[in-house]
Amino acid sequence: MSRLDGKRVAITGAAGGLGTPVARMLREAGAHVTGIDRMECSACDASIVTDLSDDTQLATLADRLAGDCPDVLVNVAGVMRFGLHESQPIEALALCYRVNLLVPAVLARAVAAPMRARGTGQIVNIGSVLGAIPYPWFAAYSSSKAGLAALSQGLRREMMGTGVAVTHINPRAARTGFNNSEVNRFLEVTGMKADAPDWVAGRIVAAILARRETVSIGVMERIYAALNAISPQIIDNGLAGQIRKARAEFC
């Protein structure tokens, strides 16, 4: 496995429950890490404090990354929406799609040309297994992460033969503050697994170091994702019991 000695890495969401261990492990692998978040990132060498939900600040960040392009861009920042889709405020849906899909697309656009010109680089997008297995009560989150998977695949094909890698990683739920009390209760009621953040971060960093294309964490999750792509009805039937339990709890 290669290291990142001397490489410059920019990571969004670096102050979060998953971003922090990812940033720490990237530094341990030799990288100089710049964290991008709404607050200083203690695990990073440097911080860019910005609000990704603001158009002007996002444009300024994109210009900065285009002009001083990192060797690796890691898009970790995300927004979770939980609950019946009909109950979601429009502004909450807009924020979910913006941070989970638009922001990675804008930042990938900013670094793609300079990375291509250099003949080297890596764009890393952190998705979710819920993007491959869309779950009820997570319709907006699932669809935003499904869009991120498509963005990653299309960009990877654009970059073929240029020396620029595009890595897309689908973790399961992690035990971080990203999950509110309702999400944690949903995980409990449905029996869904939540992983330790350091373990997830280790898998993410390993995929970055190996310049993997697509990584989905969890054997059964990979099987369910394949089945959902081939025959969604099978997954519908498999989820029926979980849906009944969730309706009793949340409807």
Side-chain angles (χ1 to χ4, degrees):
M1 185 179 293
S2 65
R3 282 178 53 85
L4 293 170
D5 295 317
K7 299 294 186 181
R8 297 185 303 138
V9 176
I11 172 173
T12 68
L18 187 56
T20 294
V22 170
R24 185 186 74 245
M25 292 178 191
L26 288 170
R27 290 183 71 195
E28 291 169 354
H32 181 280
V33 179
T34 297
I36 300 166
D37 213 314
R38 289 177 294 178
M39 62 188 72
E40 295 284 333
C41 307
S42 60
C44 301
D45 298 288
S47 294
I48 298 174
V49 177
T50 191
D51 184 353
L52 297 174
S53 69
D54 180 87
D55 286 341
T56 300
Q57 293 185 54
L58 177 60
T60 299
L61 174 63
D63 288 344
R64 179 170 178 173
L65 293 180
D68 186 19
C69 184
D71 298 290
V72 183
L73 168 67
V74 186
N75 287 304
V76 176
V79 169
M80 172 72 78
R81 292 306 308 170
F82 173 80
L84 290 174
H85 193 67
E86 66 204 50
S87 70
Q88 301 300 315
I90 293 174
E91 60 273 17
L93 292 176
L95 181 64
C96 179
Y97 288 112
R98 178 190 179 90
V99 176
N100 294 353
L101 183 54
L102 177 64
V103 167
V106 168
L107 300 185
R109 173 184 178 274
V111 301
M115 285 183 177
R116 184 197 298 272
R118 280 195 315 229
T120 184
Q122 187 175 13
I123 299 168
V124 182
N125 293 324
I126 307 304
S128 169
V129 295
L130 296 185
I133 314 166
Y135 252 72
W137 285 271
F138 294 91
Y141 181 75
S142 290
S143 55
S144 68
K145 291 300 188 177
L148 186 62
L151 171 69
S152 302
Q153 190 172 86
L155 186 59
R156 176 177 60 79
R157 289 169 176 162
E158 287 185 12
M159 291 295 182
M160 287 174 63
T162 68
V164 180
V166 178
T167 298
H168 177 240
I169 304 167
N170 286 325
R172 298 179 294 206
R175 296 193 294 272
T176 72
F178 189 66
N179 304 323
N180 64 22
S181 60
E182 283 194 315
V183 172
N184 286 327
R185 179 60 181 158
F186 183 90
L187 296 176
E188 181 183 350
V189 167
T190 58
M192 292 175 67
K193 183 176 178 59
D195 297 312
D198 274 23
W199 184 83
V200 178
R203 297 292 300 273
I204 290 171
V205 172
I208 293 171
L209 292 171
R211 293 169 68 88
R212 296 277 301 277
E213 291 180 355
T214 303
V215 175
S216 292
I217 296 176
V219 174
M220 294 309 298
E221 285 77 6
R222 291 195 292 272
I223 293 172
Y224 294 154
L227 287 173
N228 190 69
I230 296 169
S231 180
Q233 185 64 48
I234 294 175
I235 301 302
D236 290 347
N237 294 336
L239 292 180
Q242 290 183 336
I243 291 172
R244 283 194 297 272
K245 291 178 182 178
R247 281 180 177 156
E249 183 80 16
F250 299 105
C251 290

PDB file of all heavy atoms in Angstrom, residues 3 11 17 31 65 86 102 107 123 140 177 179-180 183 189 221 228 241 250:
ATOM      1  N   ARG A   3       1.942   5.371   0.362  1.00  0.00           N
ATOM      2  CA  ARG A   3       1.726   6.405   1.343  1.00  0.00           C
ATOM      3  C   ARG A   3       1.475   7.717   0.611  1.00  0.00           C
ATOM      4  O   ARG A   3       1.497   7.773  -0.621  1.00  0.00           O
ATOM      5  CB  ARG A   3       2.945   6.521   2.265  1.00  0.00           C
ATOM      6  CG  ARG A   3       2.997   5.426   3.322  1.00  0.00           C
ATOM      7  CD  ARG A   3       4.234   5.552   4.189  1.00  0.00           C
ATOM      8  NE  ARG A   3       4.381   6.880   4.779  1.00  0.00           N
ATOM      9  CZ  ARG A   3       3.806   7.270   5.906  1.00  0.00           C
ATOM     10  NH1 ARG A   3       3.018   6.438   6.561  1.00  0.00           N
ATOM     11  NH2 ARG A   3       4.010   8.478   6.391  1.00  0.00           N
ATOM     12  N   ILE A  11      -9.943  18.227   2.570  1.00  0.00           N
ATOM     13  CA  ILE A  11     -11.058  17.378   2.970  1.00  0.00           C
ATOM     14  C   ILE A  11     -12.185  18.224   3.539  1.00  0.00           C
ATOM     15  O   ILE A  11     -11.986  18.995   4.478  1.00  0.00           O
ATOM     16  CB  ILE A  11     -10.593  16.304   3.985  1.00  0.00           C
ATOM     17  CG1 ILE A  11     -11.790  15.536   4.563  1.00  0.00           C
ATOM     18  CG2 ILE A  11      -9.743  16.901   5.086  1.00  0.00           C
ATOM     19  CD1 ILE A  11     -11.379  14.352   5.426  1.00  0.00           C
ATOM     20  N   GLY A  17     -17.603  13.950  12.865  1.00  0.00           N
ATOM     21  CA  GLY A  17     -17.314  12.695  13.532  1.00  0.00           C
ATOM     22  C   GLY A  17     -16.601  11.680  12.668  1.00  0.00           C
ATOM     23  O   GLY A  17     -15.868  10.826  13.187  1.00  0.00           O
ATOM     24  N   ALA A  31       0.416  12.794   4.577  1.00  0.00           N
ATOM     25  CA  ALA A  31      -0.162  13.918   3.837  1.00  0.00           C
ATOM     26  C   ALA A  31      -0.168  15.192   4.668  1.00  0.00           C
ATOM     27  O   ALA A  31      -0.198  15.156   5.901  1.00  0.00           O
ATOM     28  CB  ALA A  31      -1.585  13.585   3.399  1.00  0.00           C
ATOM     29  N   LEU A  65      -9.442  26.419  -4.636  1.00  0.00           N
ATOM     30  CA  LEU A  65      -8.948  25.076  -4.935  1.00  0.00           C
ATOM     31  C   LEU A  65      -8.474  24.963  -6.380  1.00  0.00           C
ATOM     32  O   LEU A  65      -7.517  24.238  -6.675  1.00  0.00           O
ATOM     33  CB  LEU A  65     -10.035  24.042  -4.655  1.00  0.00           C
ATOM     34  CG  LEU A  65     -10.446  23.868  -3.192  1.00  0.00           C
ATOM     35  CD1 LEU A  65     -11.537  22.802  -3.075  1.00  0.00           C
ATOM     36  CD2 LEU A  65      -9.257  23.506  -2.315  1.00  0.00           C
ATOM     37  N   GLU A  86     -42.882  13.448   2.808  1.00  0.00           N
ATOM     38  CA  GLU A  86     -43.942  14.466   2.780  1.00  0.00           C
ATOM     39  C   GLU A  86     -43.814  15.481   3.919  1.00  0.00           C
ATOM     40  O   GLU A  86     -44.399  16.566   3.854  1.00  0.00           O
ATOM     41  CB  GLU A  86     -45.304  13.780   2.884  1.00  0.00           C
ATOM     42  CG  GLU A  86     -45.543  13.084   4.212  1.00  0.00           C
ATOM     43  CD  GLU A  86     -46.565  11.971   4.127  1.00  0.00           C
ATOM     44  OE1 GLU A  86     -46.451  11.108   3.240  1.00  0.00           O
ATOM     45  OE2 GLU A  86     -47.483  11.974   4.965  1.00  0.00           O
ATOM     46  N   LEU A 102     -24.445  18.801  -4.836  1.00  0.00           N
ATOM     47  CA  LEU A 102     -23.963  19.976  -5.552  1.00  0.00           C
ATOM     48  C   LEU A 102     -22.553  20.366  -5.119  1.00  0.00           C
ATOM     49  O   LEU A 102     -21.698  20.642  -5.967  1.00  0.00           O
ATOM     50  CB  LEU A 102     -24.918  21.158  -5.352  1.00  0.00           C
ATOM     51  CG  LEU A 102     -24.473  22.474  -6.006  1.00  0.00           C
ATOM     52  CD1 LEU A 102     -24.420  22.333  -7.519  1.00  0.00           C
ATOM     53  CD2 LEU A 102     -25.385  23.626  -5.597  1.00  0.00           C
ATOM     54  N   LEU A 107     -16.855  21.290  -6.359  1.00  0.00           N
ATOM     55  CA  LEU A 107     -15.442  21.193  -5.985  1.00  0.00           C
ATOM     56  C   LEU A 107     -14.681  20.253  -6.913  1.00  0.00           C
ATOM     57  O   LEU A 107     -13.512  20.508  -7.238  1.00  0.00           O
ATOM     58  CB  LEU A 107     -15.320  20.758  -4.526  1.00  0.00           C
ATOM     59  CG  LEU A 107     -15.961  21.706  -3.499  1.00  0.00           C
ATOM     60  CD1 LEU A 107     -15.673  21.236  -2.089  1.00  0.00           C
ATOM     61  CD2 LEU A 107     -15.491  23.150  -3.698  1.00  0.00           C
ATOM     62  N   ILE A 123      -9.805  12.420  -6.796  1.00  0.00           N
ATOM     63  CA  ILE A 123     -11.038  12.982  -6.261  1.00  0.00           C
ATOM     64  C   ILE A 123     -11.766  11.859  -5.543  1.00  0.00           C
ATOM     65  O   ILE A 123     -12.030  10.803  -6.129  1.00  0.00           O
ATOM     66  CB  ILE A 123     -11.913  13.574  -7.379  1.00  0.00           C
ATOM     67  CG1 ILE A 123     -11.173  14.715  -8.092  1.00  0.00           C
ATOM     68  CG2 ILE A 123     -13.247  14.055  -6.823  1.00  0.00           C
ATOM     69  CD1 ILE A 123     -11.835  15.162  -9.380  1.00  0.00           C
ATOM     70  N   ALA A 140     -34.661  11.578   0.583  1.00  0.00           N
ATOM     71  CA  ALA A 140     -33.804  12.647   0.071  1.00  0.00           C
ATOM     72  C   ALA A 140     -32.333  12.293   0.230  1.00  0.00           C
ATOM     73  O   ALA A 140     -31.537  12.469  -0.693  1.00  0.00           O
ATOM     74  CB  ALA A 140     -34.112  13.962   0.793  1.00  0.00           C
ATOM     75  N   GLY A 177     -22.176  11.825  15.737  1.00  0.00           N
ATOM     76  CA  GLY A 177     -23.230  12.797  15.951  1.00  0.00           C
ATOM     77  C   GLY A 177     -24.015  13.121  14.691  1.00  0.00           C
ATOM     78  O   GLY A 177     -25.009  13.861  14.754  1.00  0.00           O
ATOM     79  N   ASN A 179     -25.882  11.188  13.250  1.00  0.00           N
ATOM     80  CA  ASN A 179     -27.183  10.554  13.463  1.00  0.00           C
ATOM     81  C   ASN A 179     -27.868  11.183  14.674  1.00  0.00           C
ATOM     82  O   ASN A 179     -27.315  11.169  15.772  1.00  0.00           O
ATOM     83  CB  ASN A 179     -27.010   9.059  13.725  1.00  0.00           C
ATOM     84  CG  ASN A 179     -26.257   8.359  12.618  1.00  0.00           C
ATOM     85  OD1 ASN A 179     -26.416   8.683  11.444  1.00  0.00           O
ATOM     86  ND2 ASN A 179     -25.417   7.401  12.987  1.00  0.00           N
ATOM     87  N   ASN A 180     -29.059  11.728  14.473  1.00  0.00           N
ATOM     88  CA  ASN A 180     -29.797  12.259  15.616  1.00  0.00           C
ATOM     89  C   ASN A 180     -30.501  11.119  16.356  1.00  0.00           C
ATOM     90  O   ASN A 180     -30.379   9.941  15.994  1.00  0.00           O
ATOM     91  CB  ASN A 180     -30.778  13.354  15.176  1.00  0.00           C
ATOM     92  CG  ASN A 180     -31.866  12.835  14.241  1.00  0.00           C
ATOM     93  OD1 ASN A 180     -32.180  11.643  14.205  1.00  0.00           O
ATOM     94  ND2 ASN A 180     -32.456  13.743  13.475  1.00  0.00           N
ATOM     95  N   VAL A 183     -32.742   8.876  14.152  1.00  0.00           N
ATOM     96  CA  VAL A 183     -31.987   7.966  13.288  1.00  0.00           C
ATOM     97  C   VAL A 183     -31.448   6.800  14.109  1.00  0.00           C
ATOM     98  O   VAL A 183     -31.528   5.633  13.686  1.00  0.00           O
ATOM     99  CB  VAL A 183     -30.841   8.714  12.579  1.00  0.00           C
ATOM    100  CG1 VAL A 183     -29.935   7.729  11.844  1.00  0.00           C
ATOM    101  CG2 VAL A 183     -31.399   9.748  11.615  1.00  0.00           C
ATOM    102  N   VAL A 189     -34.515  -0.099  15.895  1.00  0.00           N
ATOM    103  CA  VAL A 189     -35.777  -0.789  15.583  1.00  0.00           C
ATOM    104  C   VAL A 189     -35.607  -1.742  14.411  1.00  0.00           C
ATOM    105  O   VAL A 189     -36.149  -2.860  14.411  1.00  0.00           O
ATOM    106  CB  VAL A 189     -36.889   0.243  15.290  1.00  0.00           C
ATOM    107  CG1 VAL A 189     -38.109  -0.418  14.659  1.00  0.00           C
ATOM    108  CG2 VAL A 189     -37.281   0.972  16.570  1.00  0.00           C
ATOM    109  N   GLU A 221     -24.281  -5.782   2.515  1.00  0.00           N
ATOM    110  CA  GLU A 221     -24.694  -4.550   1.839  1.00  0.00           C
ATOM    111  C   GLU A 221     -24.371  -4.613   0.348  1.00  0.00           C
ATOM    112  O   GLU A 221     -25.152  -4.144  -0.486  1.00  0.00           O
ATOM    113  CB  GLU A 221     -24.034  -3.347   2.492  1.00  0.00           C
ATOM    114  CG  GLU A 221     -24.620  -2.949   3.831  1.00  0.00           C
ATOM    115  CD  GLU A 221     -24.191  -3.840   4.981  1.00  0.00           C
ATOM    116  OE1 GLU A 221     -23.327  -4.721   4.785  1.00  0.00           O
ATOM    117  OE2 GLU A 221     -24.716  -3.651   6.092  1.00  0.00           O
ATOM    118  N   ASN A 228     -30.749  -5.121  -5.469  1.00  0.00           N
ATOM    119  CA  ASN A 228     -31.623  -3.974  -5.695  1.00  0.00           C
ATOM    120  C   ASN A 228     -31.501  -3.457  -7.130  1.00  0.00           C
ATOM    121  O   ASN A 228     -32.479  -2.994  -7.715  1.00  0.00           O
ATOM    122  CB  ASN A 228     -31.290  -2.857  -4.706  1.00  0.00           C
ATOM    123  CG  ASN A 228     -32.314  -1.746  -4.724  1.00  0.00           C
ATOM    124  OD1 ASN A 228     -33.439  -1.922  -4.308  1.00  0.00           O
ATOM    125  ND2 ASN A 228     -31.911  -0.585  -5.227  1.00  0.00           N
ATOM    126  N   GLY A 241     -40.636  -6.296   6.707  1.00  0.00           N
ATOM    127  CA  GLY A 241     -40.702  -6.394   8.160  1.00  0.00           C
ATOM    128  C   GLY A 241     -40.140  -5.161   8.843  1.00  0.00           C
ATOM    129  O   GLY A 241     -40.723  -4.654   9.819  1.00  0.00           O
ATOM    130  N   PHE A 250     -42.669   5.455  13.927  1.00  0.00           N
ATOM    131  CA  PHE A 250     -42.455   6.810  13.436  1.00  0.00           C
ATOM    132  C   PHE A 250     -43.665   7.431  12.718  1.00  0.00           C
ATOM    133  O   PHE A 250     -43.604   8.595  12.322  1.00  0.00           O
ATOM    134  CB  PHE A 250     -41.238   6.864  12.503  1.00  0.00           C
ATOM    135  CG  PHE A 250     -39.959   6.461  13.186  1.00  0.00           C
ATOM    136  CD1 PHE A 250     -39.388   5.221  12.947  1.00  0.00           C
ATOM    137  CD2 PHE A 250     -39.340   7.315  14.073  1.00  0.00           C
ATOM    138  CE1 PHE A 250     -38.211   4.849  13.580  1.00  0.00           C
ATOM    139  CE2 PHE A 250     -38.162   6.961  14.712  1.00  0.00           C
ATOM    140  CZ  PHE A 250     -37.596   5.723  14.461  1.00  0.00           C
TER     141      PHE A 250
END
